[in-house]
Amino acid sequence: MKNVLVTGGLGFIGSHTCVELLELGFELTVIDNLSNTREEVKNQIEEISGKSVNFINLDLTDYKRLESFFSTNKIDAIVHFAASKAVGESVEKPLLYYENNLVSLLNLLKMCKEYDVNRFVFSSSCTVYGQPDTLPVTEAFPKQEAESPYGNTKQIGEEIIEDFCKSNLSFKAISLRYFNPTGAHESALIGELPLGIPSNLVPFITQTAAGIREQLSVFGGDYNTADGTCIRDYIHVVDLAKAHIAALEYSHKMEESYDFFNIGTGKGHSVLDVIKSFEKVSGLSLNYQIVDRRPGDIEKIYADTTKVSKVLDWKAQYDLDDMMRTAWEWQKKLMQR
Ligand code: WQD
């Protein structure tokens, strides 16, 4: 596989996947519209990998510019990360989310058809499951009504891709249903770069520890869990990046034209577990307060990873302490800039 197009490749998960692809000798082109990242991430990817990155500042909803890119660049496979992903924002601005996330995907698939690109890995989310009735959740569980327009764009995105695969059997696509990505590269040169007030837990923890935020609000202490706080399956971003490599490699030998996998550790941790892990690895005491629940949050979810370990031969290697350690190293490095 010579040239892989990574859309959203300067983003959190995209940048870590670019590093893994480059270190394995893949050639790659990154398309990013810089709406939720900074161009300097390209330099960090190059510094870590020692390879150069071909970066195009392009918005995937711009069909004409996208067409002109594909007409002059041979692409063998696409890893598609580019999307708006803030759950709360999607509730306030649904049209922006449906336009950005779905028009981008439709334009890319039209390019695949027109320019014979037949390998596609899609960034999906465990949010498609809603609150499962039992746990751990397997890929056989039904998709539940999305809790947000963001989650709905992931569900609709999977259906669009699956229908396209049915119409074009040489096109092979895999959706990866991420659980909760967190942590950062061991070099601390790339990590989660939330622009503005973080909505996700771990960047809020590290910014509170760094004194950027006053106090962490723990959303809800009265859930039906051991310590009353929500449970999630946190997965290290480097493990997640490696899952994309495994999916790309599998796309060359898969029989079906479409498949999908849970990408988690298979372990659930509560918000208080995450805080305790952070305090242990940082040696700091975190300033937090338990407040009311956040609307839209589900109580608990964690993955059954049987299918991905069997079919893709992939298993998460990092544990929660590694995630907190690397996230904290990244936060400290950010503050030295
Ligand atoms: C985790 C837990 C919060 C912030 C969402 C999307 C998912 C993916 C990741 C994009 C929850 C609690 C959080 C805070 C808190 N999106 N929390 N205080 O909501 O599980 O998943 O983000 O890739 O698709 O659904 O992640 O990190 O926001 O929350 O107590 O300041 O931490 O209530 O229980 P979430 P999160």
Side-chain angles (χ1 to χ4, degrees):
M1 193 175 318
K2 287 181 289 305
N3 197 352
V4 180
L5 170 62
V6 183
T7 74
L10 299 190
F12 176 37
I13 305 162
S15 57
H16 287 79
T17 304
C18 285
V19 166
E20 296 304 321
L21 283 165
L22 289 166
E23 290 183 342
L24 285 169
F26 287 87
E27 274 177 48
L28 59 86
T29 299
V30 168
I31 283 182
D32 203 304
N33 68 1
L34 301 179
S35 62
N36 192 28
T37 185
R38 298 193 186 110
E39 189 166 352
E40 73 192 60
V41 172
K42 170 182 175 292
N43 308 332
Q44 270 101 43
I45 294 169
E46 292 180 330
E47 185 178 338
I48 296 168
S49 63
K51 307 271 180 65
S52 68
V53 173
N54 176 28
F55 165 59
I56 317 280
N57 182 347
L58 193 160
D59 189 314
L60 296 174
T61 60
D62 182 341
Y63 185 86
K64 275 178 75 60
R65 281 202 63 207
L66 189 61
E67 154 105 279
S68 116
F69 167 79
F70 272 87
S71 66
T72 51
N73 291 272
K74 174 77 181 87
I75 297 296
D76 300 294
I78 297 175
V79 185
H80 177 41
F81 293 103
S84 304
K85 61 155 202 161
V87 173
E89 184 187 47
S90 79
V91 175
E92 287 158 35
K93 304 174 185 169
L95 299 185
L96 180 92
Y97 271 68
Y98 286 116
E99 180 177 33
N100 185 49
N101 293 4
L102 297 181
V103 172
S104 296
L105 175 62
L106 288 168
N107 285 348
L108 271 178
L109 294 176
K110 288 175 187 170
M111 293 299 108
C112 288
K113 187 172 171 64
E114 192 175 336
Y115 292 96
D116 202 26
V117 180
N118 289 314
R119 298 286 177 275
F120 195 89
V121 177
F122 177 61
S123 164
S124 188
S125 167
C126 64
T127 197
V128 302
Y129 297 114
Q131 175 59 71
D133 297 333
T134 59
L135 289 170
V137 61
T138 77
E139 290 84 351
F141 277 37
K143 288 191 260 191
Q144 296 200 29
E145 193 181 328
E147 309 267 338
S148 68
Y150 159 76
N152 209 18
T153 66
K154 292 301 180 185
Q155 285 192 13
I156 298 168
E158 286 194 8
E159 286 159 18
I160 290 171
I161 294 165
E162 188 169 10
D163 285 345
F164 182 62
C165 289
K166 286 176 188 160
S167 74
N168 174 2
L169 293 182
S170 56
F171 183 77
K172 305 283 187 186
I174 291 172
S175 291
L176 298 182
R177 293 175 175 173
Y178 307 162
F179 282 68
N180 285 59
T182 189
H185 192 265
E186 291 288 359
S187 66
L189 289 174
I190 52 176
E192 195 165 2
L193 198 64
L195 305 179
I197 301 175
S199 59
N200 289 141
L201 175 65
V202 176
F204 209 108
I205 287 177
T206 59
Q207 289 190 14
T208 303
I212 298 167
R213 306 290 160 204
E214 184 60 36
Q215 180 181 62
L216 169 75
S217 297
V218 174
F219 298 135
D222 58 350
Y223 286 97
N224 180 22
T225 62
D227 64 20
T229 63
C230 291
I231 289 173
R232 295 290 185 274
D233 184 332
Y234 296 93
I235 174 165
H236 196 285
V237 63
V238 172
D239 278 328
L240 182 55
K242 290 179 191 286
H244 290 79
I245 310 297
L248 268 181
E249 284 164 355
Y250 180 65
S251 71
H252 277 277
K253 56 188 180 199
M254 65 196 273
E255 315 256 299
E256 319 72 10
S257 57
Y258 177 70
D259 211 341
F260 49 94
F261 298 89
N262 287 343
I263 307 296
T265 64
K267 294 189 195 71
H269 289 289
S270 73
V271 177
L272 292 180
D273 290 337
V274 175
I275 292 171
K276 283 193 194 82
S277 168
F278 178 79
E279 292 183 326
K280 181 171 77 171
V281 302
S282 66
L284 300 172
S285 158
L286 194 75
N287 178 12
Y288 70 91
Q289 186 187 10
I290 296 182
V291 300
D292 291 341
R293 297 182 176 193
R294 178 171 69 175
D297 273 340
I298 61 167
E299 183 168 82
K300 52 186 159 194
I301 189 167
Y302 54 92
D304 178 307
T305 57
T306 308
K307 183 180 176 185
V308 67
S309 56
K310 228 186 252 167
V311 178
L312 298 192
D313 187 26
W314 171 92
K315 188 172 169 13
Q317 302 301 311
Y318 286 92
D319 65 16
L320 187 63
D321 289 351
D322 293 321
M323 294 176 219
M324 294 305 107
R325 170 178 56 78
T326 51
W328 182 227
E329 288 308 312
W330 158 246
Q331 180 67 63
K332 289 188 287 184
K333 195 98 172 205
L334 262 184
M335 297 185 301
Q336 290 162 10
R337 284 193 190 167

